[in-house]
Amino acid sequence: MPGFEFFGDLERKEVNDVLDSGVLMRYGFDKARNHWKALELEQQVAERMEVKHAHVVSSGTAALTVALMATHINSGDEVILPTFTFVASFEAILSVGAVPILVDVDDTLGLNAEAVEKAITKKTKAVMAVHMCGSMADLTSLRKVCKKHKLILIEDACQAIGGTFNNKPLGSIGKIGCFSFDYVKTITCGEGGAIITNSKDLFTKAQAYTDHGHDHLGTDRGADKHPILGYNFRISELNAAVGVAQVKRLDDFIAIQKKHYRIIEEVLKNIPEVTFRRIPKGGVQNYSFFNFFLPTKAATKRVHEAFGKQGVDATFYWFDNNWHYHKKWDHLKHLKGLNYFSNAQYDGLPNYYKSDFSASDAIISKTISCLIKLSWTEEEVRERAQKMAKIIKELG
Ligand SMILES: *Cc1c(COP(=O)(O)O)cnc(C)c1O
Protein backbone atom coordinates (compact mmCIF):
# COMPACT_ATOMS: atom_id res chain seq x y z
CA MET A 1 0.00 0.00 0.00
CA PRO A 2 2.49 2.70 0.97
CA GLY A 3 3.46 5.41 -1.47
CA PHE A 4 6.41 6.13 0.80
CA GLU A 5 8.21 3.28 -0.90
CA PHE A 6 8.46 5.25 -4.09
CA PHE A 7 9.67 8.81 -3.55
CA GLY A 8 11.65 10.23 -6.40
CA ASP A 9 12.40 13.14 -8.66
CA LEU A 10 8.73 13.96 -9.17
CA GLU A 11 8.18 14.58 -5.45
CA ARG A 12 11.51 16.43 -5.15
CA LYS A 13 10.65 18.80 -7.97
CA GLU A 14 7.27 19.72 -6.50
CA VAL A 15 8.73 20.30 -3.03
CA ASN A 16 11.57 22.36 -4.43
CA ASP A 17 9.09 24.67 -6.16
CA VAL A 18 7.78 25.51 -2.71
CA LEU A 19 11.19 25.82 -1.05
CA ASP A 20 12.41 28.07 -3.87
CA SER A 21 9.64 30.61 -3.29
CA GLY A 22 9.62 30.11 0.47
CA VAL A 23 5.83 30.36 0.62
CA LEU A 24 4.90 27.37 2.74
CA MET A 25 1.29 28.36 3.26
CA ARG A 26 -1.53 27.42 0.94
CA TYR A 27 -3.40 30.74 1.17
CA GLY A 28 -2.30 34.32 0.67
CA PHE A 29 1.14 35.81 -0.11
CA ASP A 30 0.02 36.12 -3.71
CA LYS A 31 2.84 38.38 -4.83
CA ALA A 32 5.61 36.21 -3.41
CA ARG A 33 4.44 32.94 -4.85
CA ASN A 34 4.25 31.19 -8.17
CA HIS A 35 2.70 27.94 -6.93
CA TRP A 36 -0.60 26.85 -5.49
CA LYS A 37 0.14 23.23 -4.65
CA ALA A 38 -2.84 22.64 -2.36
CA LEU A 39 -5.17 24.07 -4.97
CA GLU A 40 -3.49 22.01 -7.67
CA LEU A 41 -3.86 18.89 -5.55
CA GLU A 42 -7.55 19.67 -5.05
CA GLN A 43 -8.06 19.97 -8.79
CA GLN A 44 -6.23 16.70 -9.38
CA VAL A 45 -8.19 14.86 -6.69
CA ALA A 46 -11.53 16.21 -7.92
CA GLU A 47 -10.76 15.18 -11.48
CA ARG A 48 -9.40 11.73 -10.60
CA MET A 49 -12.33 11.04 -8.25
CA GLU A 50 -14.89 12.35 -10.76
CA VAL A 51 -16.48 14.81 -8.36
CA LYS A 52 -17.19 18.52 -8.53
CA HIS A 53 -15.25 19.45 -5.41
CA ALA A 54 -12.24 18.34 -3.40
CA HIS A 55 -10.79 20.05 -0.39
CA VAL A 56 -7.46 18.97 1.06
CA VAL A 57 -6.76 19.16 4.78
CA SER A 58 -4.08 18.29 7.32
CA SER A 59 -5.03 14.63 7.85
CA GLY A 60 -7.60 11.94 7.21
CA THR A 61 -8.87 12.45 10.73
CA ALA A 62 -9.37 16.13 9.93
CA ALA A 63 -11.20 15.11 6.75
CA LEU A 64 -13.63 12.96 8.77
CA THR A 65 -14.14 15.74 11.31
CA VAL A 66 -14.82 18.29 8.60
CA ALA A 67 -17.17 15.89 6.83
CA LEU A 68 -19.20 15.56 10.03
CA MET A 69 -19.19 19.32 10.62
CA ALA A 70 -20.17 20.18 7.05
CA THR A 71 -23.07 17.72 7.15
CA HIS A 72 -24.25 19.28 10.44
CA ILE A 73 -23.77 16.32 12.72
CA ASN A 74 -24.72 17.93 16.01
CA SER A 75 -24.20 17.32 19.70
CA GLY A 76 -25.86 14.06 20.73
CA ASP A 77 -26.54 12.88 17.18
CA GLU A 78 -25.74 9.24 16.60
CA VAL A 79 -23.32 8.18 13.90
CA ILE A 80 -23.11 4.51 12.96
CA LEU A 81 -19.66 3.08 12.31
CA PRO A 82 -18.13 -0.39 12.09
CA THR A 83 -16.51 -2.39 14.91
CA PHE A 84 -13.53 -2.83 12.58
CA THR A 85 -11.96 0.50 11.67
CA PHE A 86 -9.16 2.80 12.75
CA VAL A 87 -9.67 4.78 15.99
CA ALA A 88 -9.81 8.00 13.94
CA SER A 89 -13.42 7.15 13.02
CA PHE A 90 -14.78 7.53 16.54
CA GLU A 91 -12.29 10.22 17.49
CA ALA A 92 -13.80 12.39 14.76
CA ILE A 93 -17.35 11.57 15.81
CA LEU A 94 -16.64 12.39 19.45
CA SER A 95 -14.83 15.59 18.51
CA VAL A 96 -18.00 17.07 17.00
CA GLY A 97 -20.06 16.16 20.07
CA ALA A 98 -21.79 13.19 18.47
CA VAL A 99 -22.13 9.62 19.71
CA PRO A 100 -20.35 6.74 17.96
CA ILE A 101 -22.61 3.72 17.54
CA LEU A 102 -20.59 0.61 16.77
CA VAL A 103 -22.22 -1.92 14.46
CA ASP A 104 -21.15 -5.37 13.23
CA VAL A 105 -19.17 -5.98 10.07
CA ASP A 106 -19.73 -8.84 7.66
CA ASP A 107 -17.49 -10.79 5.29
CA THR A 108 -16.87 -7.63 3.25
CA LEU A 109 -14.98 -6.47 6.39
CA GLY A 110 -17.30 -3.45 6.20
CA LEU A 111 -20.60 -2.52 7.84
CA ASN A 112 -23.39 -5.08 7.63
CA ALA A 113 -26.43 -3.22 6.29
CA GLU A 114 -28.96 -5.31 8.23
CA ALA A 115 -27.12 -4.63 11.47
CA VAL A 116 -27.02 -0.95 10.56
CA GLU A 117 -30.77 -0.87 10.07
CA LYS A 118 -31.33 -2.52 13.46
CA ALA A 119 -29.15 0.09 15.16
CA ILE A 120 -31.07 3.09 13.82
CA THR A 121 -32.85 5.25 16.40
CA LYS A 122 -34.52 8.65 16.36
CA LYS A 123 -31.11 10.17 17.01
CA THR A 124 -29.28 8.52 14.12
CA LYS A 125 -28.05 11.09 11.60
CA ALA A 126 -25.30 9.45 9.59
CA VAL A 127 -23.64 6.20 8.60
CA MET A 128 -19.87 6.18 8.28
CA ALA A 129 -18.95 3.39 5.89
CA VAL A 130 -15.28 2.55 6.27
CA HIS A 131 -13.66 0.79 3.33
CA MET A 132 -11.00 -1.17 5.15
CA CYS A 133 -7.92 -2.83 3.71
CA GLY A 134 -8.34 -1.95 0.07
CA SER A 135 -11.97 -2.91 -0.52
CA MET A 136 -15.43 -1.64 0.23
CA ALA A 137 -18.48 -2.20 2.34
CA ASP A 138 -21.61 -3.30 0.51
CA LEU A 139 -22.56 0.13 -0.73
CA THR A 140 -25.68 -1.01 -2.58
CA SER A 141 -27.41 -2.14 0.59
CA LEU A 142 -25.96 0.65 2.74
CA ARG A 143 -27.22 3.27 0.32
CA LYS A 144 -30.64 1.66 0.39
CA VAL A 145 -30.79 1.79 4.18
CA CYS A 146 -29.56 5.40 4.24
CA LYS A 147 -32.11 6.44 1.65
CA LYS A 148 -34.97 4.70 3.42
CA HIS A 149 -34.15 6.29 6.79
CA LYS A 150 -32.92 9.63 5.41
CA LEU A 151 -29.41 9.23 6.78
CA ILE A 152 -26.24 10.85 5.51
CA LEU A 153 -23.76 8.38 4.04
CA ILE A 154 -20.15 9.35 4.74
CA GLU A 155 -17.45 7.24 3.11
CA ASP A 156 -14.12 6.76 4.82
CA ALA A 157 -12.04 5.63 1.86
CA CYS A 158 -8.71 6.28 3.59
CA GLN A 159 -7.57 2.68 3.01
CA ALA A 160 -9.12 2.12 -0.39
CA ILE A 161 -8.28 5.14 -2.52
CA GLY A 162 -8.58 4.32 -6.20
CA GLY A 163 -10.98 1.42 -5.68
CA THR A 164 -14.33 1.68 -7.48
CA PHE A 165 -17.95 0.69 -7.05
CA ASN A 166 -20.17 0.41 -10.11
CA ASN A 167 -17.39 2.20 -11.99
CA LYS A 168 -17.42 5.17 -9.63
CA PRO A 169 -14.43 5.99 -7.43
CA LEU A 170 -14.82 5.05 -3.77
CA GLY A 171 -15.49 8.20 -1.78
CA SER A 172 -17.70 9.64 -4.51
CA ILE A 173 -20.71 7.46 -3.77
CA GLY A 174 -21.89 8.86 -0.44
CA LYS A 175 -22.77 12.47 0.32
CA ILE A 176 -19.15 13.13 1.19
CA GLY A 177 -16.00 11.00 1.02
CA CYS A 178 -12.75 11.14 2.97
CA PHE A 179 -9.16 10.21 2.14
CA SER A 180 -5.96 10.13 4.16
CA PHE A 181 -2.52 10.86 2.76
CA ASP A 182 -0.66 9.91 5.92
CA TYR A 183 2.69 8.20 5.68
CA VAL A 184 1.41 4.63 5.32
CA LYS A 185 -1.45 5.17 2.89
CA THR A 186 -1.42 4.28 -0.82
CA ILE A 187 -0.43 7.83 -1.73
CA THR A 188 1.07 10.08 0.89
CA CYS A 189 1.85 13.73 1.65
CA GLY A 190 3.61 12.86 4.91
CA GLU A 191 0.46 14.10 6.62
CA GLY A 192 -2.66 15.09 4.75
CA GLY A 193 -6.19 14.22 3.79
CA ALA A 194 -9.08 15.25 1.58
CA ILE A 195 -12.82 15.42 1.42
CA ILE A 196 -14.65 15.02 -1.86
CA THR A 197 -18.26 15.86 -2.67
CA ASN A 198 -20.57 16.93 -5.45
CA SER A 199 -22.29 19.41 -3.16
CA LYS A 200 -21.13 22.99 -3.53
CA ASP A 201 -22.76 23.80 -0.23
CA LEU A 202 -20.78 21.13 1.66
CA PHE A 203 -17.58 22.16 -0.06
CA THR A 204 -18.09 25.84 0.79
CA LYS A 205 -18.69 25.01 4.43
CA ALA A 206 -15.76 22.61 4.57
CA GLN A 207 -13.19 25.01 3.15
CA ALA A 208 -14.32 27.78 5.48
CA TYR A 209 -14.36 25.54 8.54
CA THR A 210 -10.82 24.24 7.95
CA ASP A 211 -9.44 27.79 7.86
CA HIS A 212 -10.97 29.65 10.83
CA GLY A 213 -14.16 30.42 8.94
CA HIS A 214 -12.49 32.41 6.13
CA ASP A 215 -14.93 32.85 3.26
CA HIS A 216 -12.02 32.82 0.77
CA LEU A 217 -13.89 35.19 -1.51
CA GLY A 218 -11.35 37.96 -1.96
CA THR A 219 -7.62 38.10 -2.60
CA ASP A 220 -6.79 39.93 0.63
CA ARG A 221 -6.76 37.28 3.31
CA GLY A 222 -7.01 39.80 6.14
CA ALA A 223 -10.16 41.27 4.61
CA ASP A 224 -11.93 37.92 4.31
CA LYS A 225 -15.26 37.73 6.15
CA HIS A 226 -15.90 34.96 8.64
CA PRO A 227 -19.51 33.86 8.22
CA ILE A 228 -18.97 30.90 10.57
CA LEU A 229 -16.68 29.91 13.41
CA GLY A 230 -14.05 27.56 12.16
CA TYR A 231 -10.87 25.80 13.09
CA ASN A 232 -7.46 25.13 11.58
CA PHE A 233 -7.18 21.94 9.60
CA ARG A 234 -5.07 23.47 6.82
CA ILE A 235 -2.51 21.46 4.90
CA SER A 236 0.84 23.11 4.33
CA GLU A 237 2.03 23.87 0.83
CA LEU A 238 5.05 21.59 1.39
CA ASN A 239 2.87 18.59 2.20
CA ALA A 240 0.52 19.38 -0.66
CA ALA A 241 3.49 19.49 -3.04
CA VAL A 242 4.33 15.87 -2.22
CA GLY A 243 0.67 15.02 -2.80
CA VAL A 244 0.68 16.66 -6.23
CA ALA A 245 3.43 14.27 -7.28
CA GLN A 246 1.95 11.21 -5.60
CA VAL A 247 -1.57 11.57 -6.95
CA LYS A 248 -0.17 11.40 -10.48
CA ARG A 249 1.26 8.00 -9.58
CA LEU A 250 -1.89 6.57 -8.01
CA ASP A 251 -2.90 4.51 -11.01
CA ASP A 252 0.63 3.14 -11.45
CA PHE A 253 0.71 2.19 -7.77
CA ILE A 254 -2.63 0.41 -8.04
CA ALA A 255 -1.47 -1.48 -11.13
CA ILE A 256 1.58 -2.75 -9.24
CA GLN A 257 -0.52 -3.68 -6.22
CA LYS A 258 -2.94 -5.54 -8.45
CA LYS A 259 -0.14 -7.48 -10.14
CA HIS A 260 1.29 -8.54 -6.78
CA TYR A 261 -2.16 -9.33 -5.44
CA ARG A 262 -2.95 -11.62 -8.39
CA ILE A 263 0.26 -13.59 -7.94
CA ILE A 264 -0.58 -14.32 -4.31
CA GLU A 265 -4.22 -15.04 -5.14
CA GLU A 266 -3.25 -17.56 -7.83
CA VAL A 267 -1.28 -19.58 -5.29
CA LEU A 268 -3.61 -19.34 -2.30
CA LYS A 269 -6.88 -19.93 -4.12
CA ASN A 270 -6.05 -23.60 -4.51
CA ILE A 271 -5.84 -24.19 -0.78
CA PRO A 272 -9.21 -25.49 0.45
CA GLU A 273 -8.86 -23.88 3.91
CA VAL A 274 -8.51 -20.41 2.41
CA THR A 275 -11.51 -18.27 1.55
CA PHE A 276 -11.39 -14.67 0.42
CA ARG A 277 -12.97 -11.56 1.76
CA ARG A 278 -16.17 -10.80 -0.16
CA ILE A 279 -15.97 -8.02 -2.70
CA PRO A 280 -19.50 -6.63 -3.12
CA LYS A 281 -21.04 -6.92 -6.58
CA GLY A 282 -19.86 -4.01 -8.71
CA GLY A 283 -16.79 -3.40 -6.57
CA VAL A 284 -13.14 -3.25 -7.61
CA GLN A 285 -10.46 -3.14 -4.92
CA ASN A 286 -7.38 -0.96 -4.86
CA TYR A 287 -5.41 -4.09 -3.93
CA SER A 288 -3.55 -2.46 -1.05
CA PHE A 289 -4.03 -5.56 1.12
CA PHE A 290 -4.51 -9.24 0.50
CA ASN A 291 -7.25 -10.38 2.90
CA PHE A 292 -8.33 -13.93 3.56
CA PHE A 293 -10.13 -16.14 6.07
CA LEU A 294 -9.14 -19.47 7.61
CA PRO A 295 -11.64 -21.96 9.04
CA THR A 296 -11.03 -21.37 12.76
CA LYS A 297 -9.72 -18.69 15.09
CA ALA A 298 -7.02 -21.03 16.42
CA ALA A 299 -5.76 -21.87 12.94
CA THR A 300 -5.75 -18.20 11.98
CA LYS A 301 -3.68 -17.26 15.03
CA ARG A 302 -1.26 -20.12 14.37
CA VAL A 303 -0.78 -19.15 10.76
CA HIS A 304 -0.36 -15.47 11.51
CA GLU A 305 2.25 -16.21 14.15
CA ALA A 306 4.13 -18.50 11.80
CA PHE A 307 4.06 -15.83 9.08
CA GLY A 308 5.84 -13.45 11.45
CA LYS A 309 8.40 -16.02 12.61
CA GLN A 310 9.19 -17.19 9.11
CA GLY A 311 9.70 -13.78 7.59
CA VAL A 312 6.35 -13.15 5.87
CA ASP A 313 6.31 -9.57 7.09
CA ALA A 314 3.62 -6.87 7.16
CA THR A 315 0.72 -9.19 7.94
CA PHE A 316 -2.05 -8.29 10.36
CA TYR A 317 -4.26 -10.26 12.70
CA TRP A 318 -6.70 -7.45 13.42
CA PHE A 319 -8.61 -9.39 16.06
CA ASP A 320 -5.78 -8.81 18.56
CA ASN A 321 -4.65 -5.46 17.17
CA ASN A 322 -4.59 -2.48 19.54
CA TRP A 323 -5.89 0.12 17.11
CA HIS A 324 -8.33 -1.35 14.63
CA TYR A 325 -10.79 -3.55 16.46
CA HIS A 326 -13.41 -2.88 19.16
CA LYS A 327 -11.92 -5.41 21.62
CA LYS A 328 -9.07 -3.03 22.48
CA TRP A 329 -11.09 0.18 22.61
CA ASP A 330 -11.53 0.49 26.38
CA HIS A 331 -10.68 4.18 26.13
CA LEU A 332 -13.74 4.63 23.94
CA LYS A 333 -15.94 2.36 26.04
CA HIS A 334 -15.07 4.41 29.17
CA LEU A 335 -14.96 7.75 27.32
CA LYS A 336 -11.49 8.39 28.70
CA GLY A 337 -10.46 11.76 27.34
CA LEU A 338 -8.29 14.58 28.63
CA ASN A 339 -11.39 16.49 29.64
CA TYR A 340 -15.08 15.83 30.04
CA PHE A 341 -17.46 14.95 27.26
CA SER A 342 -20.99 16.30 27.08
CA ASN A 343 -23.85 14.74 28.99
CA ALA A 344 -25.40 13.84 25.65
CA GLN A 345 -22.32 11.76 24.91
CA TYR A 346 -22.13 10.08 28.35
CA ASP A 347 -25.83 9.32 28.29
CA GLY A 348 -25.91 8.35 24.64
CA LEU A 349 -22.95 6.01 24.52
CA PRO A 350 -24.13 2.40 24.75
CA ASN A 351 -22.56 0.15 27.36
CA TYR A 352 -20.31 -1.61 24.90
CA TYR A 353 -19.31 -4.22 27.46
CA LYS A 354 -22.83 -5.55 27.16
CA SER A 355 -22.97 -5.37 23.36
CA ASP A 356 -23.02 -8.53 21.34
CA PHE A 357 -20.45 -8.24 18.58
CA SER A 358 -20.14 -11.98 18.09
CA ALA A 359 -20.96 -11.61 14.39
CA SER A 360 -17.94 -9.31 13.96
CA ASP A 361 -15.78 -11.49 16.19
CA ALA A 362 -16.62 -14.58 14.14
CA ILE A 363 -15.28 -12.87 11.04
CA ILE A 364 -12.38 -10.79 12.28
CA SER A 365 -10.99 -13.63 14.43
CA LYS A 366 -10.52 -15.63 11.22
CA THR A 367 -9.10 -12.80 9.10
CA ILE A 368 -5.50 -12.22 8.08
CA SER A 369 -4.56 -9.15 6.05
CA CYS A 370 -1.26 -8.87 4.22
CA LEU A 371 0.02 -5.50 3.13
CA ILE A 372 0.85 -5.42 -0.57
CA LYS A 373 4.12 -3.60 -1.05
CA LEU A 374 5.07 -1.75 -4.19
CA SER A 375 8.80 -2.32 -3.92
CA TRP A 376 8.71 -6.13 -4.08
CA THR A 377 10.13 -7.75 -7.18
CA GLU A 378 7.95 -10.28 -8.95
CA GLU A 379 10.35 -12.98 -7.80
CA GLU A 380 9.92 -11.86 -4.18
CA VAL A 381 6.13 -11.93 -4.45
CA ARG A 382 6.24 -15.47 -5.86
CA GLU A 383 8.53 -16.69 -3.09
CA ARG A 384 6.34 -15.00 -0.55
CA ALA A 385 3.18 -16.61 -1.93
CA GLN A 386 4.82 -20.05 -1.83
CA LYS A 387 5.96 -19.51 1.73
CA MET A 388 2.47 -18.42 2.75
CA ALA A 389 0.94 -21.45 1.06
CA LYS A 390 3.36 -23.82 2.78
CA ILE A 391 2.60 -22.35 6.21
CA ILE A 392 -1.15 -22.41 5.64
CA LYS A 393 -1.06 -26.03 4.44
CA GLU A 394 0.94 -27.02 7.52
CA LEU A 395 -0.93 -25.04 10.16
CA GLY A 396 -4.23 -23.89 8.65
C1 LIG B 1 -5.49 6.33 8.25
C2 LIG B 1 -6.92 6.29 8.49
C3 LIG B 1 -7.62 7.38 9.01
C4 LIG B 1 -6.95 8.62 9.53
O1 LIG B 1 -6.09 9.25 8.67
P1 LIG B 1 -4.89 10.16 9.23
O2 LIG B 1 -4.45 10.86 8.02
O3 LIG B 1 -3.84 9.23 9.78
O4 LIG B 1 -5.45 11.06 10.25
C5 LIG B 1 -8.99 7.30 9.11
N1 LIG B 1 -9.65 6.19 8.77
C6 LIG B 1 -9.00 5.10 8.30
C7 LIG B 1 -9.79 3.90 7.90
C8 LIG B 1 -7.62 5.10 8.17
O5 LIG B 1 -6.99 4.01 7.74
Side-chain angles (χ1 to χ4, degrees):
M1 157 156 103
F4 72 72
E5 294 179 278
F6 278 179
F7 285 132
D9 291 343
L10 216 61
E11 284 78 7
R12 247 185 304 279
K13 184 205 158 292
E14 298 293 342
V15 172
N16 280 337
D17 287 349
V18 178
L19 290 176
D20 288 346
S21 81
V23 180
L24 308 188
M25 187 169 174
R26 70 160 297 180
Y27 295 115
F29 302 93
D30 290 27
K31 289 211 179 77
R33 71 195 301 151
N34 54 2
H35 55 80
W36 300 91
K37 299 296 181 190
L39 199 64
E40 199 179 332
L41 179 56
E42 284 167 351
Q43 285 159 355
Q44 288 172 313
V45 170
E47 192 178 319
R48 174 62 184 75
M49 297 304 158
E50 301 167 25
V51 289
K52 291 196 182 119
H53 309 281
H55 180 57
V56 296
V57 291
S58 51
S59 70
T61 311
L64 291 171
T65 308
V66 173
L68 294 162
M69 288 303 284
T71 50
H72 296 286
I73 305 302
N74 290 303
S75 171
D77 287 345
E78 293 180 358
V79 179
I80 289 173
L81 76 163
T83 51
F84 174 48
T85 181
F86 182 51
V87 293
S89 306
F90 54 78
E91 287 170 346
I93 294 167
L94 289 170
S95 80
V96 304
V99 180
I101 301 296
L102 297 175
V103 162
D104 275 324
V105 294
D106 59 23
D107 56 352
T108 63
L109 304 184
L111 277 173
N112 176 305
E114 273 173 38
V116 168
E117 192 157 26
K118 277 194 200 129
I120 293 169
T121 72
K122 285 200 298 291
K123 292 185 180 165
T124 311
K125 274 284 273 295
V127 173
M128 187 184 279
V130 187
H131 306 316
M132 289 296 280
C133 303
S135 181
M136 70 236 65
D138 185 347
L139 285 165
T140 303
S141 43
L142 286 177
R143 279 178 74 184
K144 237 180 250 167
V145 173
C146 286
K147 200 166 167 209
K148 180 171 158 196
H149 297 273
K150 296 193 172 58
L151 303 176
I152 299 157
L153 180 62
I154 297 171
E155 285 182 84
D156 176 345
C158 292
Q159 292 196 9
I161 188 167
T164 59
F165 190 75
N166 292 339
N167 296 316
K168 285 173 69 180
L170 293 178
S172 72
I173 290 139
K175 185 92 183 148
I176 192 161
C178 302
F179 298 115
S180 162
F181 306 130
D182 81 19
Y183 192 54
V184 295
K185 297 304 200 286
T186 301
I187 54 171
T188 179
C189 292
E191 299 285 359
I195 58 127
I196 59 170
T197 182
N198 281 311
S199 159
K200 180 151 202 261
D201 175 54
L202 289 186
F203 168 73
T204 305
K205 286 170 180 158
Q207 51 99 42
Y209 184 72
T210 56
D211 185 25
H212 306 294
H214 275 266
D215 63 10
H216 298 137
L217 292 177
T219 49
D220 175 1
R221 197 168 154 72
D224 273 356
K225 297 274 188 334
H226 34 72
I228 55 160
L229 288 164
Y231 210 71
N232 179 1
F233 286 125
R234 287 189 309 256
I235 193 166
S236 91
E237 195 72 345
L238 275 173
N239 292 88
V242 181
V244 166
Q246 288 258 304
V247 80
K248 292 188 182 125
R249 310 174 78 180
L250 175 61
D251 292 313
D252 292 342
F253 288 177
I254 292 174
I256 296 169
Q257 287 176 174
K258 182 174 175 181
K259 192 173 115 196
H260 293 173
Y261 183 103
R262 291 283 182 238
I263 292 172
I264 299 172
E265 185 184 43
E266 269 311 300
V267 176
L268 295 199
K269 76 174 190 203
N270 301 317
I271 304 175
E273 288 81 12
V274 174
T275 48
F276 297 135
R277 172 241 198 110
R278 178 164 64 90
I279 312 299
K281 193 167 169 288
V284 178
Q285 316 180 52
N286 85 345
Y287 306 97
S288 53
F289 285 86
F290 189 89
N291 308 280
F292 64 96
F293 306 123
L294 288 172
T296 65
K297 177 175 157 185
T300 313
K301 275 177 99 118
R302 270 198 308 272
V303 165
H304 178 254
E305 206 181 291
F307 277 178
K309 283 197 181 133
Q310 297 184 41
V312 180
D313 65 343
T315 67
F316 299 91
Y317 182 58
W318 302 115
F319 190 67
D320 288 338
N321 179 287
N322 274 347
W323 295 93
H324 294 80
Y325 195 53
H326 77 89
K327 276 202 314 149
K328 299 283 175 73
W329 294 341
D330 287 324
H331 61 331
L332 164 66
K333 296 175 187 181
H334 291 294
L335 278 185
K336 253 195 219 165
L338 283 178
N339 43 20
Y340 295 114
F341 289 87
S342 70
N343 286 340
Q345 289 174 306
Y346 286 114
D347 297 344
L349 197 81
N351 180 351
Y352 284 125
Y353 291 103
K354 290 191 175 157
S355 301
D356 175 10
F357 293 129
S358 53
S360 300
D361 292 350
I363 289 172
I364 302 296
S365 66
K366 295 174 200 151
T367 304
I368 294 178
S369 298
C370 310
L371 192 66
I372 301 281
K373 287 201 184 161
L374 300 168
S375 53
W376 290 331
T377 63
E378 206 176 308
E379 180 68 23
E380 281 169 335
V381 187
R382 287 189 196 287
E383 271 173 29
R384 189 182 166 88
Q386 291 305 336
K387 210 183 227 180
M388 287 167 75
K390 186 164 169 282
I391 293 170
I392 296 168
K393 281 179 196 158
E394 263 169 38
L395 300 170

